[in-house]
Amino acid sequence: QAQLVQSGAEVKKPGASVKVSCKASGYDFSNYGVSWVRQAPGQGLEWMGWIGPYNGNTKYAQRFQGRVTMTTDTSTTTVYMELRSLRSDDTAVYYCARDLITPRAWFDPWGQGTLVTVSS
Amino acid sequence: DIQMTQSPSSLSASVGDRVTITCRASQGIRIDLGWYQQKPGKAPRRLIYAASSLQSGVPSRFSGSGSGTEFTLTISSLQPEDSATYYCLQYNTFPWTFGQGTKVEIK
């Protein structure tokens, strides 16, 4: 069945960048997109953006525009989310979730989450 | 951005009780709403999409209703495994936004 497996936890200093991967399996990667959602410790969920199976098609939440880049590698069926100029309030668990080939918040299934800690 | 307001923020109910969670949108979103369940340390799980469509594999005691600005998630007979935080999500307008969550505890 469809599965998303994310990369491991990261610790970064303020101002640095982080790149989280999300490896897809069990479905036709070329027919689905992926969304990214984050959750700060003890807080709610926040949608960051969506990417189609090919890099040219993205939709980012305005508040992350200019700081986030989502990419795909169709040869390895892996999606990446890079967040730059990290701040302490970027400390969160970052989730990928399968979406449709056009953004529709399908969100099934989800990856297991990647904890990113930003600390000096 | 569209604001999604859930109520209550938390509730405590007994096994077998009927539980209702409400989600209000700051503007009309048709039926572009989903409900998610999240247990501690786990990724969210989709329960409902398009306001009232039950996700495959989700128990039938979960149901959703509403359109426009007011939506409800109902658990017809609360079970111990339903202890979790529940979130609504609007996907009518970018950026997609979640409610703040409702924590459901079992008495």
Side-chain angles (χ1 to χ4, degrees):
Chain A
Q1 74 275 24
Q3 187 177 15
L4 299 174
V5 178
Q6 298 182 223
S7 49
E10 303 261 14
V11 179
K12 297 291 183 181
K13 293 194 182 303
S17 299
V18 68
K19 193 169 187 177
V20 179
S21 68
C22 172
K23 166 74 175 173
S25 62
Y27 68 93
D28 185 350
F29 185 80
S30 63
N31 281 338
Y32 291 88
V34 166
S35 274
W36 290 87
V37 174
R38 75 177 186 178
Q39 185 170 38
Q43 302 301 308
L45 301 165
E46 180 176 31
W47 176 73
M48 299 180 68
W50 167 92
I51 184 167
Y54 307 104
N55 287 336
N57 213 356
T58 55
K59 182 68 178 180
Y60 301 140
Q62 182 77 16
R63 68 185 303 256
F64 297 104
Q65 198 85 32
R67 238 181 17 115
V68 70
T69 301
M70 297 176 189
T71 56
T72 63
D73 183 338
T74 54
S75 68
T76 61
T77 65
T78 302
V79 182
Y80 298 91
M81 186 282 299
E82 181 181 32
L83 189 62
R84 300 176 292 278
S85 302
L86 290 168
R87 308 183 289 253
S88 58
D89 62 357
D90 290 317
T91 294
V93 176
Y94 289 76
Y95 294 101
C96 60
R98 188 177 65 164
D99 205 331
L100 301 185
I101 199 163
T102 57
R104 283 303 288 164
W106 191 249
F107 292 6
D108 179 67
W110 293 61
Q112 83 277 19
T114 297
L115 175 63
V116 175
T117 303
V118 183
S119 174
S120 55
Chain B
D1 297 1
I2 294 178
Q3 305 302 314
M4 304 300 293
T5 304
Q6 286 183 233
S7 59
S9 296
S10 64
L11 65 90
S12 181
S14 300
V15 172
D17 282 355
R18 183 181 183 88
V19 168
T20 298
I21 299 168
T22 297
C23 185
R24 288 187 173 86
S26 60
Q27 64 189 70
I29 59 170
R30 302 185 303 182
I31 59 167
D32 297 333
L33 183 114
W35 288 98
Y36 293 80
Q37 176 193 65
Q38 187 180 33
K39 296 183 178 180
K42 298 293 187 182
R45 168 198 182 197
R46 190 172 72 165
L47 302 175
I48 300 286
Y49 62 96
S52 61
S53 294
L54 190 68
Q55 173 73 16
S56 175
V58 172
S60 59
R61 63 180 180 273
F62 290 93
S63 65
S65 65
S67 67
T69 61
E70 188 151 339
F71 302 85
T72 58
L73 173 71
T74 300
I75 308 172
S76 60
S77 178
L78 191 67
Q79 299 301 303
E81 60 268 30
D82 299 335
S83 177
T85 300
Y86 294 83
Y87 295 93
C88 61
L89 164 71
Q90 72 79 18
Y91 50 92
N92 177 264
T93 302
F94 293 116
W96 298 337
T97 46
F98 289 88
Q100 81 279 15
T102 295
K103 187 172 185 178
V104 174
E105 295 179 329
I106 310 295
K107 280 183 187 174

